[in-house]
Amino acid sequence: MTPEAVWGRRWENCANPLAHRIMEVAVKKKTLVCLAADMTSVSELISLVKDVGPYIAALKTHVDLVDDFSVEKWNILIDLAKEHELLLFEDRKFADIGKISQQQMAGVHDIRNWADIVTAHRISGPDIVDGIAAGWADVERIGGILLLAQMSSQGNLLDSNYTNEVISTGKGSPHVIGYIGNGSSSKEVGELRSLVGDSQMIWTPGINLDNNAGKMGQRYGNPHDSITSGSDIIIVGSGIHGAEDRIHAAKLYAEASWSAILERGQ
Ligand code: 6AU
C-alpha cells in the first residue's frame, strides 16, 4: 500500500517533511508504534532496539535516565536506529525560556546533534519553539517539535484553555510537527483532532493493552481507540519493554495499530 492510500488527508495536508518520513516508515513496516525506551543503560537500550526494532516506527528516549551515557555508546544506538529506519525522538519536555531551551539542546547530551524530534511544554511562552529550532540551526540540522497539548497523567494542569493556546502556537509553525495527546482518553484525542485539523500529527502516550497497568497516576487506553479517534502514532513503553516476551508484545501493538489505521481509512 502507498502512504497516500493509508494516511489519506493527513498525508496530503502535513507539510512537515519529518511527518512524511514517519508516515512512510510506518507504512513500510506496518506499525504506528513509537517505542518509549525508558531504560537506564545504553546496553539495555541497544538490546531492546535489537529485539523490537522491526516492529516500531520511531524510538523515543529519555537520555537523562541513562546512567552510563557517553557519546561513543550513544552513537552505537544512533547507528542501530538508522539501520531500522527509526526517527530519534528525545522526550526532553523543554519548558524554559527560548534562549535557555536553545542552550539545553546542546550541553552534555547534545540533543540537537542526534534527535529528529523533541517534546516541549508551552508553559513559558510561544518563543520556546524558536529557541529549540535555533538549537538545531546551530548545528545546521532541522527537527520537529511535538508540543504537549494534553497529558496522560491524572491531575495534570493542561485544561482545554491551555490546549487551545498550545494549538494556536503550533498551528502553521514549520517547526511543530504535531502534538502530544492523552492516549488514555479517546474522547480527549477526538477533541484534540478537531482542533488540530489534518495538517499536523498527534502522538499519544498512555497506551497499554492492559488498561489497569498504570502506576503513579499514569492512565491507559488501547491502541485501537486512540488511533480511530485521531492519533497517528501510539507511544508505548512498559507495555513492550516490561513484557515477559517483548518481541511478542511489540508485534501485538504493531498489529493493533496497523489494523486500526486501515479501519480509520481516509
Ligand atoms: O507506556 P509507559 O507508561 O511505560 O510510558 C509512557 C511514556 C513515558 C512518558 O515520559 C511519556 O510516555 N509520556 C508523555 C510524553 C511522550 O511526552 C506525555 C504524557 O502525557 N504521558 C506520558 O506517559 O516515557
Side-chain angles (χ1 to χ4, degrees):
M1 286 185 90
T2 63
E4 292 92 322
V6 174
W7 292 98
R9 291 197 303 268
R10 201 86 77 248
W11 176 266
E12 282 163 28
N13 292 300
C14 282
N16 193 306
L18 280 174
H20 277 153
R21 218 167 103 198
I22 187 90
M23 286 190 256
E24 275 169 342
V25 172
V27 170
K28 189 168 166 195
K29 297 172 85 172
K30 293 190 167 50
T31 173
L32 276 60
V33 175
C34 169
L35 174 68
D38 296 334
M39 316 310 278
T40 55
S41 72
V42 183
S43 55
E44 282 176 312
L45 273 166
I46 289 172
S47 130
L48 177 62
V49 176
K50 279 188 177 158
D51 277 355
V52 307
Y55 314 109
I56 60 175
L59 177 63
K60 185 177 90 62
T61 51
H62 279 301
V63 66
D64 53 353
L65 298 188
V66 172
D67 50 27
D68 61 347
F69 178 86
S70 75
V71 173
E72 294 71 37
K73 287 187 196 166
W74 203 253
N75 282 339
I76 299 172
L77 181 68
I78 292 172
D79 288 344
L80 182 61
K82 282 190 188 139
E83 268 173 45
H84 288 283
E85 300 180 82
L86 302 170
L87 284 181
L88 278 163
F89 166 14
E90 169 57 25
D91 188 7
R92 173 63 180 71
K93 296 190 178 73
F94 291 99
D96 214 312
I97 60 170
K99 179 76 175 53
I100 296 301
S101 299
Q102 175 184 3
Q103 292 180 285
Q104 287 172 324
M105 284 286 278
V108 70
H109 296 127
D110 207 18
I111 294 168
R112 61 191 182 169
N113 250 315
W114 50 267
D116 303 300
I117 297 173
V118 299
T119 38
H121 284 292
R122 162 68 176 78
I123 188 83
S124 62
D127 295 291
I128 192 164
V129 170
D130 289 340
I132 293 169
W136 272 309
D138 287 338
V139 291
E140 294 172 7
R141 292 187 76 233
I142 294 174
I145 301 167
L146 288 168
L147 289 176
L148 282 108
Q150 298 173 339
M151 290 196 76
S152 62
S153 44
Q154 70 166 4
N156 71 73
L157 300 174
L158 285 66
D159 63 14
S160 54
N161 286 336
Y162 182 92
T163 302
N164 283 329
E165 289 294 335
V166 173
I167 310 301
S168 56
T169 297
K171 230 175 203 173
S173 165
H175 309 300
V176 176
I177 185 179
Y179 306 91
I180 295 292
N182 173 14
S184 76
S185 161
S186 43
K187 181 173 169 284
E188 283 187 32
V189 174
E191 287 163 1
L192 184 59
R193 178 50 74 194
S194 322
L195 290 172
V196 170
D198 284 316
S199 62
Q200 286 169 311
M201 302 188 89
I202 295 176
W203 293 37
T204 48
I207 299 289
N208 198 301
L209 289 166
D210 175 1
N211 273 2
N212 299 316
K215 293 192 183 115
M216 290 193 180
Q218 177 67 303
R219 299 171 297 184
Y220 286 123
N222 67 63
H224 172 271
D225 295 352
S226 196
I227 290 166
T228 54
S229 319
S231 166
D232 300 310
I233 295 288
I234 51 166
I235 298 174
V236 184
S238 31
I240 293 175
H241 65 70
E244 228 160 85
D245 182 345
R246 56 201 195 181
I247 298 179
H248 177 69
K251 282 185 190 168
L252 283 182
Y253 283 92
E255 283 161 13
S257 68
W258 183 246
S259 63
I261 186 81
L262 295 184
E263 182 188 319
R264 184 169 92 187
Q266 306 293 303

